[in-house]
Structure formats: structure tokens, C-alpha cells
Amino acid sequence: MEDRYSITEFISASKQSERKQGFFELETPRMLEVNLDGLVWSKAGSMIAYKGQIKFEREGMLEHGMGKFLKKAFTGEGSSLMKANGTGQLYLADQGKKITILSLNNESITVNGNDLLAFDPAINWDIKLMRKVSGMLSGGLFNIHLSGTGLIAITSHYEPLTLFAERGKPVFTDPNATVAWSGGLQPGFVTDVSLKTFLGRGSGESIQMKFDGDGFIVVQPFEEIYLSQQS
């Protein structure tokens, strides 16, 4: 019998790390450990395990104010938040997507609402509506603008790629493959008539995000199709 396939070897290779180096820690590339001593906000349904005394609660309808409640209702936004409060180790994941931890230092970033896994309660956030495309893409698009100082965790299908835009040298992306962009960028939207003709008027590729300014854009090698777009 080969020792490399033994249960002991499997446990040794996959067991939890006890580094506890910070608030957020990558237990694996697709699993986030939160060393909790207080509060953290995370994507609803992302908890896969925990140790310690932790209480979970969905965000209240008006917990973040009437303005954000109305935006969530308007967008039909499906990425509700979950509040975890207590002391212990919390493990989060989202459909096996790769997790990236970012430390904001009085900085800002905008993240696709479906790709935000967790964030420090010290971070300020707001929902940004993409009104111009709400009629083009079924279900529309919503994004979350995060700013301040603290940790956030975002997800992507497979390895993300960061592109850089310059004023006068824009970057164009597929909305369903766009994960995040630097806070100073304001995306526009363009419709490619030739692609519409070639691929059919319902094709997502006919609508592109345009980033014209100084900043970065994070994309993934995957087009994320939301349930509202499939119906």
C-alpha cells in the first residue's frame, strides 16, 4: 500500500493551518478564514464552517439606511449580506471561486456585486446602479463601491487578470467577465452594432464596458451569467 494515498497523508495535506496571522487569511486559494473577534460582513450563504462562539444574522431591511434599501430593491440585487458576530474562526467560500484579499489604505475600489465575499466593518460601502444598461442586460448590473481602510475579499472564476487604462487609451471589457476596478474610474457602456448583427440582439457580447481614465480593471476568464439573465 502506498503511503502517499493514506488517510494520514490526506489529513496532513488538507488540515487547517493555525497561523492566525491576521483578520483575513487564505486557508486555501478558494477558502477564506476570518479570525473573528467582533464583527464581519460577508456574502449571504458563504459560510461553510466555523469554530468558536459566532452568531449569524442576515442584514436588516433598513440596517444600512433607506437609500441602500431602495437601491437593493430597484436592482433586484441578489447578493445579500450576512453579519457574523463573535469570537472564533469563520470559513467562507463561494462556489469554489478563487479568493483575493485586498488591504485598502484610505483607498477605494468598485467590485461587481456578485464577486464581493467579505469586508471589514470599518470599510464604507455603497451600491452603484448601472442605469444605462438595466434595459440592455436582463436583470441589469449593480456594483459595490468600497472605501476607507481595512480588508476586503473578492472572488473570481480562475486566475484574475489586471489591465491598466489611461486617458485616451480606454480598456473595453465584457460586463459579465468584469470583477472590479479602481475607485477613480467611471465606466461607460458601448453597444457594438456589428456584434449585435453577427451574434443576435440578445447577445451579451454586444454590450461592452468602457474604462477611459487612469486606473486598473480586474477581469476573469469566465462570463458569469446570473439567474435573472437566464430566466
Side-chain angles (χ1 to χ4, degrees), residues 101-126:
I101 298 173
L102 299 175
S103 177
L104 302 187
N105 183 16
N106 197 26
E107 298 167 297
S108 64
I109 189 172
T110 302
V111 182
N112 182 299
N114 200 48
D115 298 323
L116 179 62
L117 180 63
F119 60 93
D120 191 313
I123 293 289
N124 299 312
W125 66 277
D126 195 13

Side-chain angles (χ1 to χ4, degrees), residues 102 104 107-113 115 128-130 133 141-146 152 154 161-165 171 173-189 209-212 214-219 226:
L102 299 175
L104 302 187
E107 298 167 297
S108 64
I109 189 172
T110 302
V111 182
N112 182 299
D115 298 323
K128 299 295 182 182
L129 307 179
M130 294 298 187
V133 293
L141 286 175
F142 72 95
N143 299 287
I144 301 178
H145 182 78
L146 303 117
I152 69 171
I154 65 175
L161 172 68
T162 300
L163 303 171
F164 294 92
V171 171
T173 66
D174 183 327
N176 290 332
T178 306
V179 174
W181 57 89
S182 50
L185 287 177
Q186 295 294 331
F189 291 87
M209 298 180 80
K210 178 183 178 181
F211 296 91
D212 191 1
D214 296 319
F216 65 85
I217 306 98
V218 181
V219 294
Y226 307 107

Side-chain angles (χ1 to χ4, degrees), residues 64-105:
H64 300 291
M66 179 62 75
K68 289 179 182 176
F69 168 71
L70 291 175
K71 287 180 183 179
K72 288 167 71 69
F74 178 83
T75 57
E77 178 247 309
S79 184
S80 298
L81 295 174
M82 172 180 71
K83 180 168 57 177
N85 202 344
T87 303
Q89 285 75 50
L90 170 63
Y91 299 92
L92 304 174
D94 185 13
Q95 300 180 37
K97 294 163 68 176
K98 181 179 174 61
I99 300 169
T100 300
I101 298 173
L102 299 175
S103 177
L104 302 187
N105 183 16

